[in-house]
Amino acid sequence: KKKHKKRRMFNAELVESIAKSLEVGGGCFIQSDIKEVAIEMRRILSENPSFVDVTNKCNQAVEIEDCGNGDSESKEDAKDPELEALKKSWLWLSENPTGVATERENYVIEQRGHVWRALFRKKPPGS
């Protein structure tokens, strides 16, 4: 929901902090059962020059049809053609690559919902 957006912890500052702490080649795995939140997290990580999105290269990458359990897309997103093009090219991980599901993840799957997952790797400096 829009009123919750300002309280989200996942932001550019957090991603920068993760980039400073993570070793080159280290992974940053994101997931959400709310499509809008997953897209926002993926956008923020994609904009950080320290990370590369490796989701589409993973064996478990699949296209997930919109199942209606995400918030409706914002008018801001519709005005950003670059983001729209990215979203159309994105695949999502069908499984949790850690092999350890959260309670929420298990609940959503039991309810036949979707979990949008993506994986990023930290790039070497200057690449």
Side-chain angles (χ1 to χ4, degrees):
K1 292 183 181 181
K2 193 173 185 176
K3 67 181 180 179
H4 298 299
K5 191 172 185 175
K6 66 182 175 190
R7 289 184 276 189
R8 290 189 186 141
M9 292 180 58
F10 198 91
N11 55 40
E13 292 80 22
L14 176 63
V15 170
E16 189 58 38
S17 180
I18 293 168
K20 289 177 182 175
S21 302
L22 197 62
E23 291 183 21
V24 171
C28 183
F29 167 62
I30 57 169
Q31 72 177 11
S32 178
D33 61 320
I34 302 170
K35 186 176 183 183
E36 177 186 75
V37 172
I39 288 170
E40 180 68 5
M41 289 191 301
R42 198 164 179 181
R43 180 191 63 77
I44 292 168
L45 270 163
S46 294
E47 290 175 352
N48 187 295
S50 297
F51 289 98
V52 61
D53 188 339
V54 297
T55 308
N56 287 15
K57 297 176 184 174
C58 294
N59 290 336
Q60 55 198 9
V62 296
E63 189 172 335
I64 299 177
E65 296 296 320
D66 187 0
C67 63
N69 69 337
D71 295 343
S72 61
E73 304 211 12
S74 72
K75 292 178 184 176
E76 293 169 18
D77 286 354
K79 292 178 186 177
D80 186 346
E82 204 171 302
L83 178 59
E84 287 303 308
L86 268 178
K87 286 168 30 180
K88 288 177 182 170
S89 70
W90 282 341
L91 298 177
W92 299 91
L93 299 178
S94 59
E95 298 175 20
N96 183 326
T98 69
V100 182
T102 65
E103 288 181 25
R104 177 67 184 175
E105 188 177 1
N106 287 330
Y107 172 78
V108 169
I109 292 166
E110 287 171 12
Q111 300 300 311
R112 300 202 181 274
H114 287 289
V115 178
W116 284 267
R117 304 174 182 98
L119 182 62
F120 288 75
R121 293 268 177 227
K122 183 172 178 184
K123 298 190 285 189
S127 63

